[in-house]
Amino acid sequence: MKFSWKNCLEILALQMSEEEYSMWISPLEVVFKDDHVMVLAANEIVLRGVQTKFKTLLENAIVDESGFDIEIRYGLGTESEYEDHQVKKQSKRTTRRTGRARNVTKDSIREQSIETSNLNPDFSFDNFVEGKSNQFALAACAQVSKNPGTSHNPLFIYGNTGLGKTHLMHAVGNAIKEQYPDARLIYQHCDGFIEDIVRSMRNNTINELRHFYRTLDALLIDDIQLLSGKGGSQEVFFHTFNTLLDGGHQVILTCDRYPKELEAMEERLKSRFASGLTVDIKPPDFEHRVAILEQKAEAWGVDLPKDTKFFIGETVRANVRELEGALKQVNAMASFKGMPLTLEIAQEALRHLVEIQDRQITLANIQRTVASYFDLELSEILGKSRKANIVKPRQLAMYISRELTEHSLPEIGREFMRDHSTVMHAYDKISEELETNIRLKRDFDAIKASLLV
């Protein structure tokens, strides 16, 4: 009887949900031999998941299809890589970078585990404070940690600095390692990735480096925007990225902006970045900031009165990192003076920060300044009117927001109640007109000067 894996797949598809089938069974490759059947998975995560959840169903389908009891083996690799009939001597390749060795046996082609994943064990889902600004990103990361390589791949997390992107990335990695201890996973800051490439080119070990990254179960790269303008590194990353995704290996990236906004980045990379799930993290709102302060105060054993907590939460709005820094500053001053964390202590400790923030350029300030300059109501700038005397100031406000702040196009769009493509159109249009429209240039210079006072 001729064995048909296709028939097995049809049977299995009827015995589980569509999501389970596409996630665990569909990616498998099977090699049928006279004395055994070899089931091959692309990575350790899929292999372990299949053996844990669906081994009985899978083996029953194989036995039914073959017509007799047959030995069923499991391994990592592809059909083309599989070595049959005899156990060959282990073929080992050791690279200078990590001393890892590649073992080739008849049962599987796999990589030994990595000694260090660079993960920070202090970052977990348990100590990540959830709020409206990060709910979607947190939910996506939690799902990826449970089903790595099979849902939301690649996962692209973007947002301004200090909002928790790195925390979430480490939390995913730690959760995967807890669930799959043998998973080959590594966290790399983009600077480290680039340094690896430069070093390997200098030492003529680029092939070993490519091999190392391409045999990972999960790759986590932080601050991928630093790859911009580095053509050689982009080339290496592009092929590594494709190999990992095509093999069902999880890729998680963080960035300070939306993929399409990345300048000096190859279009094919930007397209691939956006091919999975793209989630953003926004600055925390007041309630979220207070919750973060409460969690930090509890973790540090600090007694934080309500009025002090509210003052810090209202004063420090930019990001989580600055919020933590402000609490440390207030606590340090209270300790120095031997006093509790009173509102007066907080006001004194953060006095310079308050003065700076009063002069800070924000999207709200830009909107108000532009509206005032053109003698318009703020509601008109944010409204839907298509009158020329309103559209032009609105576009100029969007342009100034992009020029004078670090906000991404989607973030600016939300503040103007538009999508990012509208902001991009406004920016391009004003950029072009400033080259020839003297009056517009004068208006822009006047508004900019008033904001920078």
Side-chain angles (χ1 to χ4, degrees):
M1 175 181 177
K2 186 176 180 181
F3 178 83
S4 171
W5 175 234
K6 182 179 179 182
N7 289 345
C8 288
L9 290 176
E10 291 175 354
I11 294 171
L12 291 166
L14 298 174
Q15 297 177 305
M16 61 185 68
S17 70
E18 184 177 346
E19 182 180 2
E20 289 174 331
Y21 174 80
S22 62
M23 187 177 294
W24 301 106
I25 304 300
S26 181
L28 298 176
E29 292 189 29
V30 171
V31 180
F32 185 81
K33 297 297 180 182
D34 292 337
D35 61 341
H36 71 277
V37 171
M38 190 69 204
V39 178
L40 296 168
N43 58 60
E44 184 79 36
I45 293 169
V46 174
L47 180 64
R48 188 183 291 264
V50 169
Q51 290 178 303
T52 302
K53 302 176 182 180
F54 306 106
K55 185 176 181 181
T56 301
L57 279 178
L58 178 62
E59 293 187 356
N60 285 342
I62 291 174
V63 169
D64 289 345
E65 174 61 20
S66 63
F68 58 93
D69 286 336
I70 190 168
E71 181 185 0
I72 299 173
R73 304 174 187 173
Y74 297 84
L76 300 174
T78 64
E79 183 176 353
S80 61
E81 293 174 322
Y82 178 63
E83 301 285 345
D84 193 37
H85 298 306
Q86 58 180 341
V87 178
K88 296 184 177 181
K89 291 181 179 180
Q90 289 186 340
S91 173
K92 294 188 176 182
R93 288 174 63 188
T94 302
T95 73
R96 187 181 310 171
R97 185 176 185 276
T98 61
R100 63 190 175 281
R102 181 170 173 79
N103 299 330
V104 183
T105 72
K106 78 171 184 176
D107 286 344
S108 65
I109 293 179
R110 61 183 297 169
E111 295 288 325
Q112 292 182 355
S113 61
I114 298 172
E115 293 182 7
T116 177
S117 60
N118 299 330
L119 291 171
N120 185 337
D122 293 334
F123 290 145
S124 68
F125 289 125
D126 290 337
N127 59 17
F128 185 83
V129 183
E130 180 179 356
K132 292 180 181 179
S133 63
N134 60 28
Q135 279 180 333
F136 185 35
L138 177 59
C141 287
Q143 189 168 357
V144 167
S145 71
K146 295 174 183 176
N147 303 299
T150 54
S151 62
H152 309 323
N153 199 20
L155 177 62
F156 190 96
I157 310 168
Y158 73 95
N160 289 339
T161 184
L163 295 179
K165 302 187 299 296
T166 299
H167 186 140
L168 275 180
M169 176 178 273
H170 282 276
V172 175
N174 286 320
I176 292 175
K177 288 293 286 184
E178 183 178 353
Q179 188 175 3
Y180 307 101
D182 297 329
R184 286 174 49 79
L185 177 153
I186 192 167
Y187 162 88
Q188 274 277 54
H189 190 271
C190 192
D191 277 339
F193 178 75
I194 294 170
E195 287 173 8
D196 277 352
I197 294 173
V198 172
R199 188 184 304 112
S200 66
M201 288 179 173
R202 185 169 60 244
N203 297 333
N204 198 29
T205 56
I206 190 67
N207 288 334
E208 286 84 352
L209 182 73
R210 285 172 173 162
H211 172 75
F212 168 70
Y213 278 108
R214 292 179 183 186
T215 53
L216 295 172
D217 294 316
L219 174 61
L220 287 59
I221 299 286
D222 209 357
D223 286 332
I224 196 66
Q225 73 275 2
L226 297 178
L227 210 58
S228 295
K230 298 175 176 65
S233 297
Q234 288 186 35
E235 181 72 19
V236 173
F237 184 75
F238 177 75
H239 294 293
T240 300
F241 188 72
N242 281 341
T243 300
L244 289 171
L245 290 185
D246 292 345
H249 308 265
Q250 184 67 49
V251 177
I252 304 175
L253 307 171
T254 70
C255 188
D256 66 354
R257 66 201 71 186
Y258 189 69
K260 295 296 182 182
E261 296 180 53
L262 287 166
E263 299 175 356
M265 186 76 75
E266 292 183 13
E267 285 298 326
R268 58 179 181 171
L269 270 175
K270 289 192 281 188
S271 176
R272 287 297 259 164
F273 291 164
S275 64
L277 180 64
T278 301
V279 296
D280 70 328
I281 301 181
K282 298 180 281 294
D285 58 20
F286 175 73
E287 290 78 9
H288 191 190
R289 294 195 297 272
V290 170
I292 292 169
L293 288 169
E294 289 173 345
Q295 189 235 38
K296 295 299 177 185
E298 182 179 351
W300 299 344
V302 173
D303 182 17
L304 189 62
K306 182 178 178 180
D307 56 352
T308 306
K309 176 173 57 183
F310 281 13
F311 172 75
I312 299 173
E314 184 61 40
T315 302
V316 185
R317 306 181 182 186
N319 58 58
V320 179
R321 195 173 299 154
E322 290 186 11
L323 201 60
E324 292 180 11
L327 180 57
K328 288 179 180 178
Q329 192 169 339
V330 173
N331 189 44
M333 179 165 285
S335 298
F336 176 73
K337 293 193 172 188
M339 297 175 62
L341 276 69
T342 62
L343 175 60
E344 291 72 26
I345 287 288
Q347 289 171 336
E348 183 179 353
L350 302 181
R351 176 170 52 85
H352 294 298
L353 178 60
V354 172
E355 291 174 355
I356 291 171
Q357 287 198 337
D358 285 342
R359 302 192 302 267
Q360 196 173 40
I361 299 174
T362 65
L363 296 179
N365 284 343
I366 292 171
Q367 291 170 345
R368 286 193 296 268
T369 302
V370 171
S372 176
Y373 181 86
F374 289 101
D375 197 24
L376 297 171
E377 295 293 331
L378 180 59
S379 59
E380 292 178 299
I381 292 290
L382 302 179
K384 297 182 179 181
S385 174
R386 301 300 301 164
K387 294 179 180 179
N389 68 315
I390 295 176
V391 169
K392 189 63 66 179
R394 182 187 298 142
Q395 291 177 334
L396 183 57
M398 293 179 185
Y399 175 85
I400 294 172
S401 298
R402 188 73 175 121
E403 283 290 299
L404 300 186
T405 75
E406 295 296 322
H407 289 288
S408 66
L409 294 178
E411 287 169 343
I412 295 171
R414 279 192 294 271
E415 291 299 317
F416 283 85
M417 294 184 281
R418 266 85 179 163
D419 60 30
H420 75 278
S421 61
T422 302
V423 180
M424 185 179 295
H425 170 73
Y427 183 84
D428 291 342
K429 186 173 181 60
I430 296 297
S431 296
E432 183 179 347
E433 289 190 27
L434 283 174
E435 297 291 331
T436 57
N437 190 326
I438 297 175
R439 182 174 179 178
L440 181 64
K441 180 69 165 58
R442 183 191 63 201
D443 293 338
F444 167 69
D445 290 340
I447 294 170
K448 181 178 178 182
S450 68
L451 288 165
L452 295 176
V453 170

Short mmCIF file of all heavy atoms in Angstrom, two decimals, residues 213-233:
data_model
loop_
_atom_site.label_atom_id
_atom_site.label_comp_id
_atom_site.label_asym_id
_atom_site.label_seq_id
_atom_site.Cartn_x
_atom_site.Cartn_y
_atom_site.Cartn_z
N TYR A 213 22.06 32.65 12.93
CA TYR A 213 20.78 33.36 13.02
C TYR A 213 19.66 32.59 12.33
O TYR A 213 18.51 32.61 12.78
CB TYR A 213 20.91 34.76 12.43
CG TYR A 213 21.50 35.76 13.39
CD1 TYR A 213 22.79 36.24 13.23
CD2 TYR A 213 20.78 36.21 14.49
CE1 TYR A 213 23.35 37.15 14.13
CE2 TYR A 213 21.32 37.12 15.39
CZ TYR A 213 22.60 37.58 15.21
OH TYR A 213 23.15 38.47 16.10
N ARG A 214 19.98 31.91 11.25
CA ARG A 214 18.93 31.22 10.50
C ARG A 214 18.46 29.94 11.16
O ARG A 214 17.45 29.37 10.73
CB ARG A 214 19.43 30.92 9.08
CG ARG A 214 19.64 32.17 8.25
CD ARG A 214 20.15 31.83 6.85
NE ARG A 214 20.42 33.05 6.08
CZ ARG A 214 20.77 33.06 4.81
NH1 ARG A 214 20.90 31.92 4.15
NH2 ARG A 214 21.01 34.20 4.18
N THR A 215 19.17 29.46 12.17
CA THR A 215 18.76 28.22 12.84
C THR A 215 18.10 28.51 14.19
O THR A 215 17.93 27.60 15.00
CB THR A 215 19.97 27.29 13.05
OG1 THR A 215 21.01 28.01 13.73
CG2 THR A 215 20.50 26.79 11.72
N LEU A 216 17.74 29.75 14.43
CA LEU A 216 17.06 30.10 15.67
C LEU A 216 15.58 29.73 15.60
O LEU A 216 14.98 29.73 14.52
CB LEU A 216 17.19 31.60 15.94
CG LEU A 216 18.59 32.14 16.21
CD1 LEU A 216 18.55 33.66 16.25
CD2 LEU A 216 19.16 31.58 17.50
N ASP A 217 15.00 29.44 16.74
CA ASP A 217 13.54 29.26 16.82
C ASP A 217 12.84 30.61 16.92
O ASP A 217 11.71 30.76 16.49
CB ASP A 217 13.18 28.40 18.02
CG ASP A 217 13.69 26.98 17.88
OD1 ASP A 217 13.54 26.41 16.79
OD2 ASP A 217 14.26 26.46 18.86
N ALA A 218 13.52 31.58 17.53
CA ALA A 218 12.93 32.92 17.67
C ALA A 218 14.05 33.95 17.72
O ALA A 218 15.06 33.75 18.40
CB ALA A 218 12.07 33.01 18.92
N LEU A 219 13.87 35.03 16.99
CA LEU A 219 14.84 36.13 16.95
C LEU A 219 14.14 37.41 17.38
O LEU A 219 13.12 37.79 16.81
CB LEU A 219 15.42 36.28 15.55
CG LEU A 219 16.35 37.49 15.33
CD1 LEU A 219 17.58 37.40 16.22
CD2 LEU A 219 16.76 37.57 13.85
N LEU A 220 14.70 38.08 18.37
CA LEU A 220 14.14 39.32 18.90
C LEU A 220 15.15 40.44 18.69
O LEU A 220 16.24 40.41 19.28
CB LEU A 220 13.83 39.19 20.40
CG LEU A 220 12.63 38.33 20.84
CD1 LEU A 220 12.77 36.89 20.37
CD2 LEU A 220 12.52 38.34 22.36
N ILE A 221 14.81 41.41 17.84
CA ILE A 221 15.72 42.52 17.55
C ILE A 221 15.09 43.82 18.03
O ILE A 221 14.00 44.20 17.62
CB ILE A 221 16.03 42.63 16.05
CG1 ILE A 221 16.71 41.36 15.54
CG2 ILE A 221 16.91 43.85 15.78
CD1 ILE A 221 18.14 41.20 15.96
N ASP A 222 15.80 44.52 18.90
CA ASP A 222 15.33 45.77 19.50
C ASP A 222 15.88 46.97 18.71
O ASP A 222 17.03 46.97 18.31
CB ASP A 222 15.82 45.84 20.95
CG ASP A 222 14.91 46.64 21.85
OD1 ASP A 222 13.92 47.20 21.36
OD2 ASP A 222 15.19 46.69 23.06
N ASP A 223 15.05 47.98 18.51
CA ASP A 223 15.43 49.23 17.82
C ASP A 223 15.91 48.97 16.39
O ASP A 223 16.99 49.39 15.98
CB ASP A 223 16.53 49.97 18.60
CG ASP A 223 15.98 50.64 19.86
OD1 ASP A 223 14.79 51.00 19.86
OD2 ASP A 223 16.74 50.80 20.82
N ILE A 224 15.07 48.31 15.61
CA ILE A 224 15.43 47.94 14.25
C ILE A 224 15.66 49.16 13.36
O ILE A 224 16.30 49.06 12.30
CB ILE A 224 14.34 47.01 13.64
CG1 ILE A 224 14.86 46.30 12.38
CG2 ILE A 224 13.09 47.81 13.32
CD1 ILE A 224 15.96 45.32 12.64
N GLN A 225 15.19 50.34 13.78
CA GLN A 225 15.40 51.56 12.97
C GLN A 225 16.88 51.88 12.80
O GLN A 225 17.28 52.58 11.86
CB GLN A 225 14.68 52.76 13.59
CG GLN A 225 15.30 53.33 14.85
CD GLN A 225 14.87 52.62 16.12
OE1 GLN A 225 14.10 51.65 16.06
NE2 GLN A 225 15.31 53.11 17.26
N LEU A 226 17.74 51.34 13.68
CA LEU A 226 19.17 51.60 13.60
C LEU A 226 19.81 50.90 12.39
O LEU A 226 20.96 51.15 12.06
CB LEU A 226 19.87 51.15 14.88
CG LEU A 226 19.43 51.88 16.16
CD1 LEU A 226 20.15 51.32 17.37
CD2 LEU A 226 19.68 53.38 16.03
N LEU A 227 19.03 50.03 11.73
CA LEU A 227 19.51 49.38 10.51
C LEU A 227 19.44 50.32 9.31
O LEU A 227 20.04 50.04 8.26
CB LEU A 227 18.65 48.14 10.24
CG LEU A 227 19.30 46.94 9.53
CD1 LEU A 227 20.50 46.44 10.29
CD2 LEU A 227 18.27 45.82 9.37
N SER A 228 18.74 51.43 9.45
CA SER A 228 18.58 52.38 8.34
C SER A 228 19.94 52.91 7.88
O SER A 228 20.80 53.24 8.70
CB SER A 228 17.71 53.57 8.79
OG SER A 228 16.40 53.15 9.09
N GLY A 229 20.08 52.96 6.56
CA GLY A 229 21.30 53.51 5.98
C GLY A 229 22.47 52.56 5.95
O GLY A 229 23.56 52.93 5.50
N LYS A 230 22.28 51.33 6.42
CA LYS A 230 23.38 50.36 6.46
C LYS A 230 23.05 49.24 5.48
O LYS A 230 22.48 48.20 5.85
CB LYS A 230 23.58 49.84 7.88
CG LYS A 230 23.96 50.97 8.86
CD LYS A 230 24.05 50.48 10.29
CE LYS A 230 24.53 51.59 11.21
NZ LYS A 230 23.58 52.72 11.29
N GLY A 231 23.42 49.46 4.22
CA GLY A 231 23.02 48.56 3.14
C GLY A 231 23.47 47.13 3.32
O GLY A 231 22.71 46.19 3.10
N GLY A 232 24.74 46.93 3.71
CA GLY A 232 25.25 45.57 3.87
C GLY A 232 24.54 44.81 4.96
O GLY A 232 24.19 43.64 4.79
N SER A 233 24.30 45.48 6.07
CA SER A 233 23.59 44.84 7.18
C SER A 233 22.14 44.55 6.81
O SER A 233 21.58 43.52 7.20
CB SER A 233 23.64 45.73 8.43
OG SER A 233 24.97 45.91 8.87
#
